[in-house]
């Protein structure tokens, strides 16, 4: 007859809650047979706790986020994501008095204005749980972005016309102050400034210069420049941006005038060459019709007689003097 006894044993390990061993002892004469059954239990962590060093951070500064997973066995691991980008944190593992594990991960992040509103998540990886995460959205403050728009006129700025500029400024927080100034000179006396708008009537060339819009908020200030160039009533009519610089139309006019003068001078030179060659080609000795055949005569009388037409012809050419 065999007698079997089961003695449960519990052995703690670093990977499981415990390892339960059931030891069966069967006695048969002098033979002992034992059989062990191992059972390993995984304990998932609680909901992750996510915290930040500060709720609001200014662009260019560094902030720290922490994520904690408590009460797990085995120890959990933590990953970080900012949008679709995976980030790397620094993880520490602590064992508690009841031989459970607490895992903490710290992420240090330098933020920019593009990070405003970006979601940051910590994701828990553990054998006993899936898709356990915590998330928060970054709030980033940044200085203004400034742009000057020419509301009127649409094209060139000419003498006698009016000019209207609008300063568009965005930031977080929204800019609380917008101001206009003229670089290296005073703003014309009759300029009207209303908040973000600047208006100048009856333009003239003395108003040429750089006009600047400055916007500021709690983070800092920024500006944009507009270069004003006032054209005469009659000027080059091509498309021109006032910001592009001064004097471009005058350079174009001088080039056109120089080209016309060069063409005229070339035409005159060609005409002089053609006339010179013509006169040189037709230069020589010309004989009258009556003198033909008189070259071989011995004397003057014979030359007259031998001339074409003879003596009779001379009678027809008589001249009478009164």
């Amino acid at each position: 007859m065999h007698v079997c006894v089961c003695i449960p044993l519990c052995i703690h390990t670093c990977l499981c809650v415990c390892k339960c061993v059931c030891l069966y002892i069967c006695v048969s004469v002098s033979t002992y047979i034992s059989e062990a059954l191992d059972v390993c239990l995984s304990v998932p962590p609680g909901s992750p706790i996510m915290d930040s060093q500060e709720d609001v951070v200014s662009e260019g500064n560094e902030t720290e986020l922490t994520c904690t997973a408590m009460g797990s066995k085995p120890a959990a691991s933590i990953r970080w994501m900012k949008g679709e980008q995976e980030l790397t944190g620094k993880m520490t593992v602590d064992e508690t008095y009841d031989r459970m594990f607490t895992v903490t991960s710290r992420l240090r992040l330098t933020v920019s204005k593009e990070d405003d509103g970006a979601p940051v998540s910590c994701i828990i990886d553990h054998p006993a749980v899936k898709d356990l995460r915590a998330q928060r959205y970054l709030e980033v403050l940044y200085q203004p972005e400034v742009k000057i728009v020419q509301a009127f006129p649409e094209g060139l700025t000419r003498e006698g016309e009016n000019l209207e500029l609008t300063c568009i400024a965005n930031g977080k927080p929204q800019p609380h102050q917008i101001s206009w100034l003229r670089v290296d000179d005073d703003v014309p006396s009759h300029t009207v400034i209303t908040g973000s708008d600047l208006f100048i009537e009856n333009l003239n060339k003395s108003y040429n210069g750089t006009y600047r819009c400055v916007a500021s908020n709690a983070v800092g200030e920024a500006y944009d420049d507009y270069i004003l160039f006032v054209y005469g009533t009659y000027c080059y009519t091509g498309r021109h941006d006032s910001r592009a610089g001064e004097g471009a139309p005058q350079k174009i006019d001088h080039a056109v005038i120089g080209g016309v003068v060069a063409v005229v001078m070339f035409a005159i030179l060609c005409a002089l060459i053609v006339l010179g060659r013509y006169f040189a080609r037709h230069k020589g000795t010309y004989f009258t019709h009556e003198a033909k055949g008189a070259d071989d005569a011995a004397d003057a009388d014979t030359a007259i007689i031998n001339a074409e037409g003879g003596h009779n012809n001379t009678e027809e050419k008589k001249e009478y003097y009164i």
Side-chain angles (χ1 to χ4, degrees), residues 130-148:
K130 292 183 179 180
D131 198 27
L132 191 62
R133 67 175 62 200
Q135 179 176 276
R136 82 167 41 209
Y137 293 89
L138 296 174
E139 186 172 356
V140 181
L141 304 180
Y142 53 91
Q143 68 180 18
E145 297 175 324
V146 184
K147 181 180 180 181
I148 297 176

Side-chain angles (χ1 to χ4, degrees), residues 26-64:
C26 298
V27 180
S28 175
V29 187
S30 60
T31 302
Y32 295 90
I33 301 174
S34 64
E35 182 180 354
L37 176 63
D38 295 339
V39 178
C40 182
L41 300 179
S42 294
V43 178
S47 297
I49 301 172
M50 189 174 180
D51 197 7
S52 62
Q53 191 176 38
E54 49 193 341
D55 294 333
V56 181
V57 59
S58 299
E59 65 173 334
N61 292 341
E62 188 178 63
T63 188
E64 182 179 273

Side-chain angles (χ1 to χ4, degrees), residues 191-225:
T191 301
V192 178
I193 298 176
T194 307
S196 60
D197 297 329
L198 178 144
F199 181 80
I200 305 176
E201 64 178 358
N202 194 20
L203 292 174
N204 63 64
K205 293 185 178 181
S206 65
Y207 299 159
N208 289 347
T210 301
Y211 293 78
R212 176 173 294 176
C213 172
V214 182
S216 60
N217 62 8
V219 181
E221 69 174 30
Y223 66 86
D224 189 27
D225 288 340

Side-chain angles (χ1 to χ4, degrees), residues 68-83:
T68 304
M70 301 177 62
S72 66
K73 182 170 286 193
S77 62
I78 299 176
R79 294 182 293 118
W80 290 93
M81 297 290 292
K82 185 182 74 172

Side-chain angles (χ1 to χ4, degrees), residues 1-17:
M1 182 177 181
H2 297 280
V3 177
C4 296
V5 180
C6 178
I7 304 175
L9 300 176
C10 190
I11 303 173
H12 289 276
T13 66
C14 61
L15 296 178
C16 303
V17 176

Side-chain angles (χ1 to χ4, degrees), residues 90-122:
K90 184 177 181 180
M91 192 166 59
T92 58
V93 180
D94 297 318
E95 186 176 0
T96 61
Y97 69 93
D98 56 353
R99 299 186 179 180
M100 305 291 278
F101 295 94
T102 296
V103 181
T104 301
S105 180
R106 291 178 172 83
L107 174 68
R108 299 193 66 85
L109 183 65
T110 300
V111 299
S112 64
K113 64 182 179 182
E114 289 78 14
D115 293 326
D116 184 46
V120 178
S121 305
C122 68

